[in-house]
Amino acid sequence: MTSTPSDAPDNKPLDFIRAIIEEDLQSGRYERVVTRFPPEPNGFLHIGHAKSICLNFGIAREYHSVCHLRFDDTNPSKESVEYVEAITEDVRWLGFDWGEHLYYASDYFDRLYDFAVQLIRMGKAYVCHLSADQIREQRGTLTEPGRESPYRDRPVEENLRLFEQMKNGELADGTCVLRARIDMASPNILMRDPVLYRILRTTHHRTADRWCIYPMYDFTHCLSDMIEGITHSLCTLEFENNRPLYDWVLDTLDTPCHPRQIEFARLNINYTVMSKRKLLRLVNENRVDGWDDPRMLTISGLRRRGYTPASIRRFCDLIGVGRRESWIDMGVLENAVREDLNESAPRVMGVLRPLKVVITNYPEGQTEQFEALNHPQKPEMGTRTVPFSREIFIEADDFMEDPPKKFHRLGPGREVRLRYAYLVTCDKVIKNDRGEVTELHCTHDPASRGGSAPDGRKVKGTIHWVSARHAVEAEVRLYDRLFTVDHPDMDREKDFKEFLNPDSLVVLSGCKLEPSLATARPEDRFQFERQGYFCPDTRDARPGRPVFNRIVTLRDTWKKISGQT
RNA sequence: UGGGGCGUCGUCAAGCGGUAAGACACAAGACUUUGACUCUUGCAUUCGCAGGUUCGAAUCCUGCCGCCCCAGCCA
């Protein structure tokens, strides 16, 4: 086999992992590159996993190689097929393909058992009857060495017999464990005779009740990597302490290859929580609408929210990979979708908080069709037709009774352009008994048909509108960050749920959308001009009852100028 | 106070002895029938701190300081 050159763009500096891989290929340490993404099926994938997925599958792609999808399913008490299915779907949706290489650590249970027996035969593992508490107690502390187990020097034959009894279900849960025989005085606590197997009578989602002993992570992971011929085993920083053990197992056992573990910093994003444990709590305690709540940074949540796979890949590309703990600003993620959707999303008009406007000098009963660009910068995306009539809706925010000088929109006596339609001037403000503006009377300039005046007068403001008679009524859901503080799970006293943002979801009903939106399909994404990007909610939208999710807002310079929040 | 890591702009992040890339954010301006997009310009005399080596250091050496990880029969 010959080494395969990377396809990575050479205009960009290599991250430290790709640099190591290049070295390994050049030095001949490895002849090819095989990676793997090894999720435990005990929860849904989130944006942090996407970083790992893009890294592992991305490297495989660059080296014309493969990335295995392997479920690390060694703890049946927390795992289930539902998670396996969700994870599979998410990885595929992100745009990656593992070909034939779908594996389960549980597929290796027989071989793992044999490796354990081998270790026992070598005098490198023993069955320990100490209780969990006793093991902990004898493990020592960060500064004191541990004490050796009284069972440490059991004869090989006895260990073999006992381990077989464990496997055969002759011993109750917790009776004993299989431990590696390494060094109770090691400064690395993980090397102080770590547990390799425990007895666990729980039905496994794949092997059912065939096993009542299950291998631990440190024993399983390195051997699974080895069995699959993985060359570079990429994981997060907290596994750095496990690397000596990873290497010990593979060095001690007679194995044909030895994958290289490389650790990188996990992804942190502010104003959210990332751990599966915390996400699970939000789900279980009904603080969100399930794992795919559009406010959650799970892959399924982002999908339902309307994020594109390309935007998530782009995000992972932007943040890079390194070894320092870092916090990425939520804005970077938002920027990645905007970048993608700005290119691809057709533009439409939708009024979220409608204010009725009557064009008093426009003939009653008349309708005109205006041609609107689907994408002003991309004529190839075509045009559509938008109906106009005497009564329309505009955005309530686009009118101010007493506007400041810099406000370019509508106000009493002010003229504004209705996008693609006419220039209109506000003549009259109608209010209810509470003093709230309920309706506007305007006059249009018939000569400004299409939006520009023949006399060339400049109108600074252009606002969007929807014909009242033709409007599609819809529910629109506006999302904001789930938490009010940048590091919700780093407060010593308060639980992270105390920082949930009560305004993270705002449901608007009675929104008025242009008629073309009546036929929106689940995969469609639109830019509601001047508002943001939106998509139909895949769970709640029904024919005749449209529901749209706001994916992300547009950048809003006016908000900054006016000092709104 | 054991061991393993990490410290370059507000946030990410290049740099690997030759005199601080880029991105986001921010600021100013241009353009604009989306206050969007796009474009232009500005934004670290300085690389956790202190010494040292060198003609020359973010890069090498020494010593401090700060932060993260490890004492699950979780992964």
Side-chain angles (χ1 to χ4, degrees):
Chain A
M1 186 170 292
T2 53
S3 65
T4 46
S6 166
D7 263 0
D10 47 24
N11 53 338
K12 212 175 111 185
L14 293 179
D15 57 64
F16 82 101
I17 291 177
R18 281 176 244 250
I20 289 173
I21 290 175
E22 278 301 315
E23 282 169 28
D24 285 348
L25 253 20
Q26 261 154 45
S27 70
R29 176 168 174 170
Y30 297 103
E31 297 183 318
R32 69 216 153 97
V33 178
V34 181
T35 55
R36 105 268 90 118
F37 174 62
E40 182 189 10
N42 67 344
F44 277 51
L45 261 25
H46 53 64
I47 186 77
H49 294 109
K51 175 179 180 179
S52 176
I53 292 167
C54 290
L55 217 210
N56 281 295
F57 281 93
I59 286 173
R61 187 173 290 173
E62 288 156 26
Y63 286 91
H64 308 293
S65 185
V66 289
C67 177
H68 300 181
L69 174 60
R70 179 173 74 234
F71 287 97
D72 217 340
D73 55 351
T74 57
N75 184 3
S77 62
K78 290 184 177 171
E79 300 156 3
S80 75
V81 278
E82 286 69 41
Y83 292 131
V84 169
E85 285 160 6
I87 290 169
T88 306
E89 182 189 2
D90 287 348
V91 177
R92 217 190 309 271
W93 178 76
L94 276 174
F96 297 105
D97 181 21
W98 49 89
E100 301 301 298
H101 304 282
L102 173 63
Y103 304 112
Y104 294 83
S106 54
D107 290 341
Y108 310 139
F109 282 172
D110 283 298
R111 298 173 71 177
L112 258 19
Y113 180 82
D114 291 343
F115 277 120
V117 168
Q118 211 179 117
L119 235 33
I120 292 172
R121 288 219 163 90
M122 298 167 82
K124 298 290 190 181
Y126 61 97
V127 173
C128 181
H129 275 73
L130 252 24
S131 69
D133 285 344
Q134 289 171 315
I135 287 182
R136 188 186 325 118
E137 189 186 314
Q138 301 201 0
R139 187 148 31 214
T141 67
L142 296 179
T143 51
E144 307 155 28
R147 302 197 303 280
E148 295 188 349
S149 164
Y151 305 101
R152 198 170 199 261
D153 296 315
R154 277 222 256 236
V156 168
E157 289 311 318
E158 187 182 342
N159 281 321
L160 250 18
R161 196 178 63 246
L162 253 16
F163 188 47
E164 185 162 4
Q165 284 178 5
M166 284 170 67
K167 183 192 74 168
N168 292 341
E170 295 167 29
L171 304 169
D173 287 17
T175 306
C176 55
V177 292
L178 182 73
R179 287 229 255 170
R181 197 168 184 278
I182 309 179
D183 177 11
M184 289 307 290
S186 171
N188 181 345
I189 293 178
L190 280 162
M191 297 297 270
R192 320 237 264 229
D193 290 10
V195 172
L196 265 23
Y197 268 91
R198 77 283 211 183
I199 304 172
L200 202 60
R201 255 163 265 262
T202 301
T203 301
H204 187 281
H205 58 99
R206 299 203 89 229
T207 60
D209 297 317
R210 212 171 131 248
W211 293 88
C212 58
I213 57 171
Y214 291 95
M216 302 288 288
Y217 167 84
D218 287 303
F219 188 65
T220 309
H221 206 90
C222 53
L223 289 171
S224 301
D225 283 345
M226 182 277 294
I227 288 168
E228 294 177 17
I230 301 299
T231 56
H232 299 268
S233 182
L234 316 181
C235 61
T236 44
L237 247 29
E238 65 270 27
F239 288 99
E240 203 162 6
N241 298 315
N242 301 58
R243 179 155 31 102
L245 182 48
Y246 183 104
D247 290 331
W248 181 89
V249 172
L250 294 177
D251 285 340
T252 305
L253 257 5
D254 182 27
T255 58
C257 62
H258 190 140
R260 177 171 359 186
Q261 175 178 309
I262 304 171
E263 311 85 18
F264 61 92
R266 69 184 322 146
L267 169 64
N268 295 296
I269 296 184
N270 51 26
Y271 293 98
T272 191
V273 293
M274 202 68 93
S275 83
K276 274 196 269 187
R277 204 190 103 253
K278 295 196 181 82
L279 295 174
L280 180 61
R281 278 179 66 192
L282 292 174
V283 172
N284 285 343
E285 295 168 29
N286 291 311
R287 311 303 283 254
V288 295
D289 185 26
W291 281 101
D292 68 343
D293 185 297
R295 293 165 295 180
M296 299 260 278
L297 259 35
T298 49
I299 304 299
S300 53
L302 289 163
R303 176 166 60 234
R304 186 171 163 202
R305 173 82 168 256
Y307 274 70
T308 56
S311 69
I312 293 173
R313 282 186 248 116
R314 171 73 179 141
F315 170 74
C316 292
D317 208 45
L318 283 171
I319 59 175
V321 31
R323 284 179 68 84
R324 343 174 190 163
E325 179 174 319
S326 59
W327 287 84
I328 306 294
D329 197 283
M330 188 72 95
V332 180
L333 216 207
E334 296 176 342
N335 196 63
V337 232
R338 284 198 193 100
E339 215 175 275
D340 185 21
L341 263 19
N342 177 47
E343 290 295 311
S344 61
R347 269 102 242 241
V348 294
M349 293 196 283
V351 174
L352 269 28
R353 295 176 171 90
L355 172 61
K356 189 175 176 186
V357 173
V358 180
I359 317 291
T360 53
N361 62 341
Y362 194 86
E364 244 168 290
Q366 181 174 320
T367 295
E368 271 180 285
Q369 299 291 339
F370 288 108
E371 190 174 48
L373 266 20
N374 288 146
H375 191 128
Q377 279 75 44
K378 298 190 169 194
E380 67 274 20
M381 283 178 72
T383 61
R384 67 190 186 286
T385 229
V386 187
F388 181 84
S389 63
R390 189 170 195 265
E391 293 188 358
I392 62 172
F393 291 106
I394 66 167
E395 207 65 56
D397 282 353
D398 285 337
F399 172 82
M400 279 185 93
E401 203 176 359
D402 187 20
K405 44 272 133 221
K406 285 185 156 181
F407 187 79
H408 301 152
R409 286 111 94 155
L410 209 51
R414 293 207 186 191
E415 184 172 51
V416 79
R417 172 165 35 241
L418 296 177
R419 174 138 241 223
Y420 299 120
Y422 289 106
L423 262 27
V424 296
T425 303
C426 176
D427 314 305
K428 191 174 171 193
V429 180
I430 297 171
K431 300 182 185 175
N432 59 18
D433 12 323
R434 286 189 304 246
E436 299 159 342
V437 178
T438 57
E439 189 177 319
L440 262 27
H441 281 6
C442 295
T443 47
H444 77 297
D445 175 359
S448 66
R449 213 192 114 95
S452 45
D455 63 5
R457 70 179 183 275
K458 293 228 339 194
V459 175
K460 191 90 171 163
T462 300
I463 65 174
H464 57 98
W465 53 273
V466 170
S467 166
R469 208 150 29 96
H470 309 270
V472 169
E473 195 142 323
E475 175 178 314
V476 174
R477 298 171 182 174
L478 308 180
Y479 302 103
D480 197 357
R481 46 186 59 150
L482 237 195
F483 294 92
T484 54
V485 297
D486 52 0
H487 302 316
D489 52 2
M490 278 170 68
D491 192 286
R492 285 165 197 270
E493 272 104 56
K494 295 184 179 174
D495 185 73
F496 71 100
K497 289 201 300 306
E498 291 185 44
F499 300 108
L500 276 164
N501 175 11
D503 301 318
S504 60
L505 168 64
V506 173
V507 178
L508 262 26
S509 53
C511 304
K512 312 289 186 179
L513 313 181
E514 66 167 71
S516 71
L517 254 4
T519 53
R521 290 158 298 142
E523 291 302 302
D524 288 339
R525 277 159 255 239
F526 304 93
Q527 183 195 97
F528 287 12
E529 288 201 357
R530 308 207 305 130
Q531 310 262 20
Y533 296 96
F534 296 79
C535 68
D537 186 89
T538 48
R539 202 142 90 182
D540 298 336
R542 300 274 182 286
R545 187 189 175 273
V547 178
F548 283 85
N549 290 323
R550 184 173 68 194
I551 305 165
V552 67
T553 62
L554 250 33
R555 270 206 194 80
D556 191 350
T557 311
W558 169 248
K559 194 189 272 181
K560 267 183 228 158
I561 296 170
S562 65
Q564 299 169 31
T565 45

